[in-house]
Amino acid sequence: MGRDETETYITVPSFFKCPISLDVMKSPVSLCTGVTYDRASIQRWLDGGNNTCPATMQILPTKDFVPNLTLQRLIKVWSDSVGRYSSGSPDPASAKEIPTKEELNQSLKRLSLEKDDEIRLEILSRIVRFVKNSDANREFLTGKDDFVPMLVDIIATTAKTEFVSPAIKILDAIKGDGEKLSNLMLAKGTNCFKAILVAIQRGNLETKIESVTVLDWICIDAKSKMVIAEHDGILRESIKLISTDSDLTLIEASLSFLITISKSKRVRSKLIAAKTITKIKEILLTEETTSVAVTEKSLKLLETLSSKREGRSEICGEDKGRCVEGVVNKLLKVSTTATEHAVTILWCLCYVFREDKTAEEAVERCNGVTKLLVMIQSNCSVMVRQMAKDLIKVIKINNISASAYETKTTHITPF
């Protein structure tokens, strides 16, 4: 999922860290207030027009600072020690350190006031490491009433992916109140969704997955589903993500999102018009690169789309029933869930509506009848077995002899 496996976490003495960047200080300097900062960080703060000490917020009578040579020597000794006992470890000044709760509180206060983009990105990176570290850390941030609104504001007010990506990563990690998050994003108009769309288009694999997951999380009612589905580009980009050459985790996340928003009839029509069924067909016919979860969700989405006339027409018309073949191929082959979705789709096409003989022909062509006969004798649910019986009757093979039945089913082994 794109996680950097080489990250190293080092416990750093708190007084070695700059109160602004929270990094180990490379060149510690002290202000007249007695507080020590890394030279680069405090210089940026002062150059930004500030006339206060960031830690104490006291007005500075002078902006002069002096090197803290004693602290610099101590940091050097500690740095050398870490280097000796951790062979191959990175420079401690750039180590990926997890901030404490107290340090995080300080960072959150500064994040809402900071104007320097570099420092804001540093703070967001620390929050990401904090939330990734433990459930307790995630609960700590979820409990802060003003935290999620601040992240939503960051997403809505910047077009820069480098800011949007960590904000989305944090939201995906904490999984707070979906209704609250949804309402906050909807209140920002289209700005949030524009930023998330850019993250999907330009972000790395992990950012794409997290962005789609957050969209899925905030689809809590008909209104939110329609607002998101009708935002220019989101539906189109999400459908692109379920291509067979995409990462399986990304395909699964995208399918989950599409399933969620497809509960709206209007959205189903949009999905059908956008050729989602063609993408699903390709997944169902590409067995060697498909996971169980992706297959199950592909069939579930196809089942939802088959509830509309144009959906059924599209399914039957896909390369003369190739999509139906893909459905039949998943019977008794993947999982109980996949089989139930597949049978429901076929039942809808061949028994309930019977608008196109293409589906029945595809079932017969792919030895679907044999599989349906096996299902009647299997431990599938009563409902699924009944649908299998209905399908067999429709295809008019209910007069098949017992001997033929045994011959056909000899080599069939359910998943």
Side-chain angles (χ1 to χ4, degrees):
M1 292 243 324
R3 180 180 175 86
D4 183 1
E5 300 295 340
T6 63
E7 286 186 353
T8 301
Y9 297 101
I10 297 174
T11 302
V12 182
S14 59
F15 58 94
F16 286 0
K17 295 180 287 188
C18 173
I20 295 176
S21 68
L22 297 182
D23 274 329
V24 175
M25 290 181 276
K26 296 179 181 179
S27 178
V29 295
S30 300
L31 291 179
C32 59
T33 57
V35 182
T36 300
Y37 302 90
D38 189 59
R39 183 186 294 272
S41 295
I42 192 60
Q43 189 65 62
R44 280 196 301 268
W45 170 264
L46 298 175
D47 289 346
N50 298 292
N51 64 348
T52 58
C53 172
T56 65
M57 297 310 292
Q58 296 177 11
I59 296 177
L60 297 171
T62 175
K63 294 185 179 181
D64 295 336
F65 44 72
V66 295
N68 190 328
L69 300 178
T70 300
L71 183 56
Q72 189 165 19
R73 283 195 296 271
L74 290 173
I75 291 173
K76 177 66 166 60
V77 171
W78 171 81
S79 176
D80 291 344
S81 175
V82 171
R84 282 198 301 272
Y85 293 105
S86 180
S87 177
S89 63
D91 179 0
S94 61
K96 303 287 188 177
E97 184 217 349
I98 302 170
T100 64
K101 291 180 179 179
E102 181 180 350
E103 291 169 342
L104 195 76
N105 281 329
Q106 294 174 359
S107 294
L108 293 177
K109 290 178 183 178
R110 295 206 54 245
L111 183 58
S112 59
L113 300 173
E114 183 58 57
K115 303 299 182 185
D116 187 289
D117 281 356
E118 186 176 345
I119 295 177
R120 292 178 70 207
L121 284 173
E122 288 176 359
I123 294 172
L124 284 171
S125 296
R126 296 186 189 291
I127 298 173
V128 168
R129 292 199 293 276
F130 182 84
V131 299
K132 292 283 188 179
N133 185 53
S134 69
D135 289 337
N137 287 354
R138 289 186 280 277
E139 291 174 6
F140 173 74
L141 282 176
T142 303
K144 291 185 170 294
D145 292 337
D146 58 346
F147 179 63
V148 171
M150 180 172 62
L151 289 177
V152 172
D153 191 59
I154 289 172
I155 294 172
T157 57
T158 180
K160 298 178 179 179
T161 307
E162 59 265 33
F163 281 97
V164 176
S165 294
I168 289 174
K169 188 182 295 291
I170 296 165
L171 288 174
D172 177 53
I174 62 177
K175 286 292 191 298
D177 186 336
E179 184 175 0
K180 177 182 178 181
L181 178 58
S182 180
N183 291 336
L184 285 168
M185 287 194 169
L186 291 176
K188 294 292 183 180
T190 61
N191 291 340
C192 274
F193 302 121
K194 283 181 180 177
I196 294 175
L197 176 59
V198 171
I200 292 174
Q201 292 171 328
R202 303 178 186 174
N204 59 24
L205 173 61
E206 194 167 2
T207 296
K208 291 177 188 290
I209 294 169
E210 291 158 349
S211 298
V212 173
T213 302
V214 168
L215 286 175
D216 190 9
W217 182 251
I218 63 176
C219 287
I220 58 169
D221 54 24
K223 178 183 177 182
S224 57
K225 292 183 178 88
M226 281 309 305
V227 170
I228 293 170
E230 292 184 345
H231 186 278
D232 185 39
I234 285 183
L235 213 58
R236 182 180 64 252
E237 290 299 322
S238 300
I239 294 169
K240 283 182 182 178
L241 297 180
I242 63 172
S243 298
T244 53
D245 56 353
S246 295
D247 175 84
L248 287 177
T249 305
L250 178 58
I251 296 175
E252 183 182 350
S254 303
L255 285 168
S256 293
F257 168 58
L258 294 174
I259 288 167
T260 298
I261 62 174
S262 68
K263 292 174 184 177
S264 163
K265 291 182 180 179
R266 286 174 61 188
V267 176
R268 276 178 240 164
S269 295
K270 286 179 173 290
L271 289 171
I272 294 165
K275 297 297 181 182
T276 306
I277 290 171
T278 299
K279 296 286 188 180
I280 296 174
K281 178 202 71 177
E282 292 169 355
I283 291 173
L284 296 179
L285 294 174
T286 312
E287 300 182 18
E288 66 276 7
T289 58
T290 303
S291 68
V292 171
V294 166
T295 301
E296 290 176 349
K297 291 182 178 181
S298 297
L299 290 167
K300 183 174 182 179
L301 181 56
L302 191 64
E303 179 186 328
T304 301
L305 298 181
S306 70
S307 66
K308 294 189 71 69
R309 178 186 288 273
E310 61 265 37
R312 295 189 295 274
S313 177
E314 191 76 16
I315 293 170
C316 294
E318 271 294 320
D319 293 341
K320 298 182 179 180
R322 286 281 285 160
C323 187
V324 180
E325 289 182 20
V327 174
V328 174
N329 288 340
K330 301 307 176 185
L331 289 172
L332 300 173
K333 197 172 183 180
V334 181
S335 67
T336 300
T337 299
T339 294
E340 289 180 354
H341 287 312
V343 170
T344 304
I345 294 167
L346 297 175
W347 185 73
C348 182
L349 295 173
C350 302
Y351 181 79
V352 178
F353 295 101
R354 303 184 66 182
E355 298 156 337
D356 193 323
K357 293 293 182 182
T358 304
E360 295 174 28
E361 293 168 359
V363 172
E364 291 186 273
R365 186 168 63 247
C366 299
N367 199 31
V369 172
T370 300
K371 293 183 178 182
L372 292 170
L373 286 166
V374 173
M375 288 178 60
I376 294 174
Q377 306 298 321
S378 71
N379 60 352
C380 291
S381 68
V382 174
M383 181 185 70
V384 171
R385 290 202 299 271
Q386 183 58 53
M387 286 192 290
K389 290 178 182 178
D390 292 340
L391 284 165
I392 291 172
K393 289 177 183 177
V394 167
I395 302 173
K396 298 179 180 180
I397 56 114
N398 52 318
N399 60 345
I400 191 170
S401 65
S403 58
Y405 166 74
E406 291 175 1
T407 301
K408 284 176 176 288
T409 59
T410 301
H411 303 292
I412 299 289
T413 302
F415 53 83

